Amino acid sequence: MSSPDPQVRAARNPSARPSPDDRPRPAAQRADQTPALRGPVVAVTGAASGVGALLTERLAASEAIKQVIAIDERRGECAAAQWHILDVRDPAIADKLRGADVVVHLALDLDLETDPAARTAYNVRGTQTVLTAAAAAGVHRVVLCTSAMVYGALPDNELPLSEDAELRATAEATGVGDLLEIERLARRAPRAHPGLNVTVVRPSVLVGGTDTALTRYFESPRLLVVAGSRPAWQFCHVEDLCSALEYAVLEKVEGELAVGCDGWLEQEEVEELSGIRRMELPSAVALGAAARLHRIGLTPSPAGDLAYTMYPWVVSGSRLHDAGWRPRWTNEEVLAELLEEVSGRHTVVGRRLGRKDATAAGAAGATVALLGAAAVVRRARKARRRI
């Protein structure tokens, strides 16, 4: 899922991993667990870190779940899960899924620093393989997690959007092209594999050990506001995402689900709560500079990421609400946690600066410096064309 904190991503010491004989036995084999649980057997991909690790722990502790099969390229910390170490693109995953009732696919790479071509190859191929393997293994439900970003951030979006709203995003923002392709795979899978049900969960701005263009927005010394835009901020805490995924696993709700805090925050409320002042720029300047800075490699975020800070893409979450689910976190609480997480980090136009760089540049000066760099590049190119 969204890139976890670097410490969460760090690989565990291989020498500390238990041997196969030390690994926990399935629930049905435990002498102290009678009668056997009757809930579903759930497989989780991407189970060693981020949202996958949190969901694995949550499901393993649930009395409604019979067994958890954890799949990743390294072993995670959940001792109660049955672990399989492999790449989700490996067709051998079908053997590991046999006996599972539900698969939750969370092995996605949305890291800003990953090469885009490699990221797409991993995300799309991995999802294709998991869907095909699940069908071959007799799994009856796959739960995929994309993002509410697939609705697109547009000035004429309704507030809030229903789950049935048209997916109008383009592939111009980080990872959104991959998510749109995953959505297409989800729609095709039941036709290609009769008997396989697919549920798609779309969280709003995800917070809690994540690193995205939208969380980095709050690492800036000034909040960039594009003149004439109408931002609306809705967050989703990873704990609420995990509880929504559990609802899908237990088949309390199905189909296409949007998840986030109730309501939203206007830009002025965000500035008041965060205490960070705005820097307002004309649309042509902000978008043009962002595109040039990304093209010359100064920033990891393409210009398309800016749209999600300009226009609303708030979701209603009505299907989950109708099923009885409620978020435990409010937008105000999630924003406060996000600000605590990013405290001490310094990011300008998506580019993370070291403390020395940020101090030398000054608050708004860093933004001006980067915008100025783009202008210099533009003037240099014009000069070369005149020669």
Side-chain angles (χ1 to χ4, degrees), residues 4 8 11 84 87 97 111 162 182 210 217 233 248 254 260 265 275 288 293 304 310 317 323 342 352 357 375 379 383:
V8 179
H84 296 294
D87 189 313
L97 297 180
D111 194 311
S162 72
I182 290 170
T210 58
Y217 178 81
W233 290 91
E254 60 182 16
L265 299 174
L293 290 169
M310 294 170 59
V342 304
R352 186 166 286 160
D357 294 332
R379 287 196 297 271

Side-chain angles (χ1 to χ4, degrees), residues 155-381:
D156 61 344
N157 274 347
E158 293 184 357
L159 272 170
L161 292 162
S162 72
E163 279 95 344
D164 293 328
E166 181 184 355
L167 305 188
R168 298 196 291 164
T170 65
E172 296 174 354
T174 304
V176 173
D178 297 357
L179 300 179
L180 289 169
E181 182 58 31
I182 290 170
E183 294 269 354
R184 285 190 282 271
L185 292 172
R187 289 193 297 272
R188 291 199 296 263
R191 297 194 298 270
H193 308 290
L196 181 66
N197 298 300
V198 180
T199 296
V200 180
V201 180
R202 301 165 179 159
S204 52
V205 181
L206 194 60
V207 174
T210 58
D211 177 22
T212 67
L214 294 168
T215 59
R216 287 192 183 189
Y217 178 81
F218 294 92
E219 299 177 14
S220 299
R222 296 286 186 269
L223 297 180
L224 175 61
V225 176
V226 176
S229 64
R230 184 171 61 102
W233 290 91
Q234 181 188 39
F235 301 98
C236 178
H237 196 276
V238 290
E239 291 178 359
D240 283 337
L241 173 58
C242 285
S243 70
L245 290 168
E246 185 177 16
Y247 256 63
V249 164
L250 297 175
E251 300 185 32
K252 296 180 179 181
V253 64
E254 60 182 16
E256 297 166 342
L257 314 173
V259 55
C261 298
D262 289 336
W264 63 89
L265 299 174
E266 303 288 351
Q267 182 70 24
E268 292 76 15
E269 294 176 285
V270 166
E271 292 169 18
E272 181 179 354
L273 290 167
S274 67
I276 307 175
R277 290 183 290 171
R278 69 168 59 193
M279 168 178 281
E280 190 163 320
L281 294 174
S283 175
V285 173
L287 293 171
R292 289 190 295 273
L293 290 169
H294 180 67
R295 190 164 54 248
I296 63 178
L298 283 179
T299 65
S301 296
D305 287 342
L306 264 184
Y308 292 88
T309 71
M310 294 170 59
Y311 303 117
W313 48 291
V314 172
V315 291
S316 68
S318 58
R319 287 183 181 147
L320 278 164
H321 280 67
D322 291 346
W325 179 90
R326 294 292 183 275
R328 294 187 61 184
W329 291 74
T330 66
N331 282 303
E332 291 85 354
E333 290 169 340
V334 180
L335 176 58
E337 172 149 322
L338 172 57
L339 293 171
E340 185 175 346
E341 276 191 11
V342 304
S343 177
R345 299 176 189 169
H346 308 280
T347 296
V348 176
V349 200
R351 178 192 177 200
R352 186 166 286 160
L353 305 176
R355 184 180 299 274
K356 181 178 179 180
D357 294 332
T359 302
T367 299
V368 173
L370 285 177
L371 295 176
V376 168
V377 171
R378 181 175 58 183
R379 287 196 297 271
R381 287 176 177 170

